[in-house]
Amino acid sequence: MSALAKLTTVELKLLAREPGAMFTILIPLFILVVFGSSITPGDTVLLPMSLAIAVGLVGLYQLPTTLATYRERGILRRLSTTPVRPASLLTVQLALQLVLALTACGLLVAVAGTVLRAHVPSGVLALTVAFLLGTAAMFAIGLLIAALAPNGRAANGIGVLLYFPMAYLAGLIQPPHQMPTALRNVGEYTPLGAFRRVLAEVWAGGFPSPLMMAVLAAYALVVSLAAAKFFRWE
């Protein structure tokens, strides 16, 4: 087994034992089940909101906390003296966090489609594009948090402090139509707000808005470049 394969196996085991990973799966599922008891069959609102919540938790909470903790404990620095370079760990972590997000979202879709009879879109391409762009934007922010936070606890705190205002502006805490017009308009251009909107458009049977996709792509690119500039291995 190659060094990279061994690293992936070890990191997968650690992620499976991480309470935060279970948190990012169960919280969106809890929200879906609790509020799903009152939705009508074929609902197109609750499920995309739950998906955005799940990806947001992985990107803003789980990913930056893990990477900042590794740097704080000197794991990244020690890897620099082995055949497995620190960049390999970063790649593996991004892949595993993507798997975690896919697992959380897959569970949400399965429960919503079978138990709650919520609408599940048939447009695979549109859903894939919306999911990947939204996830890339949220992960880019998580990487920037990990780059700037001095330790894992700080990364956790920064992620939480960012998540709740972003979730509110995105219409994940209060339905967008109940928000003040100015806040609703601003919220649609936040990373989480744009993600919620493109998912909502997919669930409504259309293709994501090119403008909102461009917004997500811009966040993913610009914030990733900032994270790369400020990221330090020790």
Side-chain angles (χ1 to χ4, degrees), residues 91-154:
T91 302
V92 168
Q93 272 298 320
L94 286 173
L96 291 180
Q97 298 298 336
L98 177 60
V99 170
L100 177 61
L102 286 169
T103 301
C105 291
L107 182 59
L108 289 169
V109 171
V111 171
T114 58
V115 178
L116 303 178
R117 304 298 181 184
H119 171 67
V120 177
S122 57
V124 177
L125 176 60
L127 180 57
T128 300
V129 171
F131 177 83
L132 290 179
L133 281 176
T135 302
M138 300 313 302
F139 278 25
I141 297 173
L143 289 172
L144 182 58
I145 294 172
L148 298 176
N151 52 55
R153 183 178 300 177

Side-chain angles (χ1 to χ4, degrees), residues 132-210:
L132 290 179
L133 281 176
T135 302
M138 300 313 302
F139 278 25
I141 297 173
L143 289 172
L144 182 58
I145 294 172
L148 298 176
N151 52 55
R153 183 178 300 177
N156 190 330
I158 294 171
V160 171
L161 286 175
L162 279 178
Y163 179 80
F164 285 103
M166 288 178 62
Y168 174 75
L169 289 172
L172 301 181
I173 295 177
Q174 183 178 9
H177 66 272
Q178 296 179 5
M179 296 170 60
T181 302
L183 287 180
R184 182 172 67 249
N185 292 339
V186 170
E188 285 190 346
Y189 290 90
T190 63
L192 205 50
F195 187 29
R196 181 203 59 78
R197 178 171 166 181
V198 297
L199 287 176
E201 290 170 342
V202 170
W203 253 256
F207 199 81
S209 161

